[in-house]
Amino acid sequence: MDRRPRNHEAAYVPWLAYIVQHLRDLARLRRVRDRIDREYAQALDVEALARGAYMSAGHFSREFRRAYGESPYGYLMTRRIERAMALLRRGDLSVTEVCFAVGCSSLGTFSSRFTELVGVPPSVYRRQAARATAGMPSCVAKQVSRPIRNREAPAPEPHL
């Protein structure tokens, strides 16, 4: 029996190779995302993360955004802000201590990004969250106060 590929079978070979490669890339991206979740407080840069996925930095950034809806840096900052929110709810650390505890090296960048995602500055959040989540189990408080992902908090209305 002749098993040479027929014309219609040969057309599927490139697609199959593409699908296999795409699935491998998704597995690598998932491992990198898991690394970000575990090591959010470490100094992570896109180039190092891309090397872990065996991709160039540009390709890694594009594929990560396509898979998860935001850039690797945006995902990392969202993880850091989520952790910062939990630390600020505890109330025993200052905003500066929280900033450095979650891996940010600039208080200004941390405060700006926190305000973009949460809608209020970290110092205001610390005061408000302590009252709002008093007596609430921490697992419930985390879900209730989760930051908005993939879109920024609504801008405050201007005072006229």
Side-chain angles (χ1 to χ4, degrees), residues 2-74:
D2 184 23
R3 276 308 301 150
R4 285 180 289 165
R6 294 187 176 99
N7 286 340
H8 68 279
E9 290 175 341
Y12 290 109
V13 173
W15 280 103
L16 182 60
Y18 169 78
I19 291 169
V20 168
Q21 184 60 47
H22 183 68
L23 291 174
R24 286 182 185 147
D25 287 349
L26 287 175
R28 289 183 187 125
L29 291 170
R30 190 173 47 253
R31 283 193 294 273
V32 170
R33 187 193 62 189
D34 292 345
R35 178 181 174 200
I36 293 171
D37 289 342
R38 278 190 319 273
E39 301 175 12
Y40 65 88
Q42 305 299 319
L44 298 174
D45 60 81
V46 174
E47 289 79 15
L49 295 171
R51 280 193 302 275
Y54 304 105
M55 297 178 188
S56 70
H59 183 67
F60 169 72
S61 292
R62 284 188 302 276
E63 291 300 311
F64 193 97
R65 182 181 296 275
R66 187 180 322 169
Y68 299 113
E70 62 185 324
S71 70
Y73 178 77

Side-chain angles (χ1 to χ4, degrees), residues 8-141:
H8 68 279
E9 290 175 341
Y12 290 109
V13 173
W15 280 103
L16 182 60
Y18 169 78
I19 291 169
V20 168
Q21 184 60 47
H22 183 68
L23 291 174
R24 286 182 185 147
D25 287 349
L26 287 175
R28 289 183 187 125
L29 291 170
R30 190 173 47 253
R31 283 193 294 273
V32 170
R33 187 193 62 189
D34 292 345
R35 178 181 174 200
I36 293 171
D37 289 342
R38 278 190 319 273
E39 301 175 12
Y40 65 88
Q42 305 299 319
L44 298 174
D45 60 81
V46 174
E47 289 79 15
L49 295 171
R51 280 193 302 275
Y54 304 105
M55 297 178 188
S56 70
H59 183 67
F60 169 72
S61 292
R62 284 188 302 276
E63 291 300 311
F64 193 97
R65 182 181 296 275
R66 187 180 322 169
Y68 299 113
E70 62 185 324
S71 70
Y73 178 77
Y75 185 84
L76 171 62
M77 287 306 292
T78 301
R79 292 283 80 69
R80 287 176 173 174
I81 298 304
E82 285 178 351
R83 183 64 183 140
M85 291 171 71
L87 293 173
L88 290 168
R89 278 193 304 272
R90 279 187 5 202
D92 60 337
L93 296 174
S94 71
V95 172
T96 304
E97 290 170 324
V98 168
C99 168
F100 294 120
V102 298
C104 293
S105 57
S106 165
L107 182 59
T109 301
F110 169 75
S111 294
S112 297
R113 187 68 174 149
F114 190 98
T115 304
E116 287 174 13
L117 285 173
V118 180
V120 294
S123 55
V124 173
Y125 179 83
R126 184 173 183 243
R127 285 192 302 271
Q128 292 175 349
R131 289 189 301 263
T133 59
M136 195 181 291
S138 61
C139 59
V140 174

